[in-house]
Amino acid sequence: NSQLNNSYTFENYIEGDCNRLARSAGYAVANKPGTTSFNPLMVYGGVGLGKTHLVQAIGNHIKSNNPDKFVLYVSSEKFVNQFIESLKTNNVQDFANFYLLVDILIIDDVQFLSGKEKTQEMFFHIFNHLHQSGKQIVMTSDCPPRDLKGLEERLLSRFKWGLTADLQSPDFETRMAIIYKKMQSDGIHIPDNVIEYLAYSVDTNVRELEGVLISLIAQSSLNRKEIDLELAKAALKHIIEDVETEVNLDFIQKTVAEYFQVSLDSLKAKTRKKEIVTARQVAMYFAKEYTSHSLKSIGYHFGGRDHSTVIHSVQTVSDLIDTDKKFKASIQELQKKFKVKAV
Ligand code: ADP
Ligand code: MG
């Protein structure tokens, strides 16, 4: 039993700037285990960023191409517990023999070995044996090897023999892609504005993003309500405690640009075309209204304009709201997209 979960694959592991190196190194290892210079492969990164998924995908890929190979996935916690158990029952030799038979050893969260000297000694022994026999070792850790406290130096130096690659927090595009992929595989439809809103709001890690999605889907079916922006905002408030009650400035710019059908860049450019000027002024108005950016900061984010330009824009928009019914209606429509607090 390899302890692999076959729902973790490369096919459903979204590639992005945040994981490109780790993913491609992982893919290389998966295709040529033990024979690339990426041995060991060490993937590190914070919680929920996809370490376990990636290393399991490596294991599953190898397993399906080489059914006869002994691929083993083990968490470091389990490794420690098994080892302690073997000490108690006088079966240390069996424990070691079992691991020496493995062709591909995937060991997750090695930071857990910290301070456990006897276990580290055993792991050192297994590591050396496997590595010398050309067997592939894949590890994950929640921090770079140099920051792994409580691990023996000789072990750390071996971790650096191969390739160390990190996983970063997913960028906006990757978050969008992950939501799309999840919707696709679950056969669920979520409107584009909701997807964007979620991708903007949940920028911590993938696990949290998935949690929000699951909860949103659940609330939608419980309340027999279609998934829309209101529901998403409400769901987010329940899930993430310190949800930003503030709307992101990028989100405002993007939404306003889209609404007025002008490019995002033009909001920050010098151009004084009427429709662009209007869009720009409206975006500044919302930035003032819904973010805590100072006038100076807002100006800065609109192509380095000064704060008096921002004041003028806000004033112009306020005046138009009072005098132009049609304009007022479009502002109200936009407003709906930004009101987080009002839920
Ligand atoms: P970690 O081990 O780093 O804490 P996991 O591998 O458990 O993180 O990932 C958390 C969740 O996010 C899992 O459900 C995983 O499938 C998903 N996930 C992480 N990264 C990606 C990605 N790039 N594409 C698709 N799903 C991802
Ligand atoms: Mg993990």
Side-chain angles (χ1 to χ4, degrees), residues 48 64 107 114 137 140 255 273 283 304 340:
S64 68
I107 178 155
S114 163
I137 300 159
T140 76
T255 308
K273 272 194 197 152
V340 177

Side-chain angles (χ1 to χ4, degrees), residues 216-279:
L216 180 58
I217 293 163
Q219 293 202 24
S220 147
S221 71
L222 274 175
N223 301 322
R224 295 173 198 284
K225 257 194 196 158
E226 297 225 354
I227 293 178
D228 63 5
L229 206 54
E230 291 310 303
L231 194 68
K233 285 173 182 173
L236 214 58
K237 278 201 89 168
H238 292 303
I239 299 154
I240 304 174
E241 275 178 32
D242 53 352
V243 60
E244 272 200 63
T245 45
E246 179 173 320
V247 186
N248 182 308
L249 186 59
D250 293 336
F251 184 58
I252 290 176
Q253 291 182 326
K254 194 160 182 292
T255 308
V256 171
E258 219 163 74
Y259 185 85
F260 286 97
Q261 299 188 349
V262 303
S263 77
L264 185 56
D265 288 340
S266 68
L267 294 185
K268 302 167 188 174
K270 292 268 173 282
T271 172
R272 301 180 63 90
K273 272 194 197 152
K274 189 172 181 310
E275 66 271 23
I276 292 171
V277 171
T278 305

Side-chain angles (χ1 to χ4, degrees), residues 49 51 99 105 130-131 185 233 279 285 296 299:
L49 295 184
K51 300 182 294 295
Y99 278 93
L105 177 62
L130 294 182
H131 196 272
S185 66
K233 285 173 182 173
Y285 169 84
K296 194 172 164 199

